């Protein structure tokens, strides 16, 4: 798994997550990357995540996203280039909660 951190519109934090979040170690890397970004951007209330070829996503990661949205009040904007990832969120009925959007990567 590869995680790239940058900024989106209005200097909001943007993370591109490329590859599977399958193991507990993958989840910890995912979580730690998000926590570093949130710590650096304490005054920001939005976070953009782009899941690139990220399937499967384990339940730890989905639960963590729920915690960020529901408990911490972080406005999560999720994007993916993978229909399986989109369908996973739809199957769990989380597609509207996270407003996940299908998007192609620039290099494809």
């Amino acid at each position: 798994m590869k995680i790239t951190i940058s900024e989106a519109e209005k200097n909001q934090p943007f993370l591109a997550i490329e590859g599977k979040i399958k193991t507990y170690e993958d989840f910890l890397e995912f979580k730690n990357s998000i926590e570093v970004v949130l710590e650096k951007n304490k005054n920001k209330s939005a976070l953009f995540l782009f899941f690139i070829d990220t399937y499967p996503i384990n339940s730890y990661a989905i639960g963590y996203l729920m915690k960020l949205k529901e408990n911490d009040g972080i406005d999560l904007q999720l994007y993916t280039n993978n229909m399986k990832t989109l369908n996973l969120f739809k199957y769990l009925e989380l597609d509207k909660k996270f407003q996940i959007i299908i998007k192609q990567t620039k290099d494809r």
Side-chain angles (χ1 to χ4, degrees), residues 1-65:
M1 178 175 56
K2 177 183 170 189
I3 299 176
T4 307
I5 300 169
S6 60
E7 289 185 351
E9 57 192 45
K10 299 180 184 176
N11 298 323
Q12 296 295 335
F14 180 90
L15 277 80
I17 300 96
E18 187 170 354
K20 301 174 183 178
I21 305 174
K22 190 172 182 179
T23 66
Y24 186 69
E25 290 76 23
D26 293 338
F27 160 69
L28 291 177
E29 182 181 350
F30 172 72
K31 179 183 176 195
N32 290 338
S33 296
I34 290 176
E35 287 179 350
V36 165
V37 168
L38 292 176
E39 186 65 30
K40 288 181 181 177
N41 298 282
K42 287 184 181 184
N43 58 341
K44 309 283 189 200
S45 61
L47 181 63
F48 295 83
L49 301 174
F50 188 9
F51 293 105
I52 303 167
D53 300 326
T54 306
Y55 187 85
I57 298 175
N58 66 30
S59 59
Y60 300 118
I62 293 172
Y64 182 66
L65 293 174

Side-chain angles (χ1 to χ4, degrees), residues 38 64 66-75:
L38 292 176
Y64 182 66
M66 287 292 297
K67 176 222 177 262
L68 291 174
K69 178 82 171 175
E70 297 293 315
N71 294 355
D72 299 343
I74 304 294
D75 179 26

Side-chain angles (χ1 to χ4, degrees), residues 67-91:
K67 176 222 177 262
L68 291 174
K69 178 82 171 175
E70 297 293 315
N71 294 355
D72 299 343
I74 304 294
D75 179 26
L76 296 174
Q77 302 290 322
L78 306 183
Y79 303 92
T80 185
N81 69 333
N82 189 311
M83 283 303 295
K84 287 183 180 179
T85 303
L86 178 65
N87 289 334
L88 172 65
F89 280 90
K90 284 184 177 182
Y91 178 76

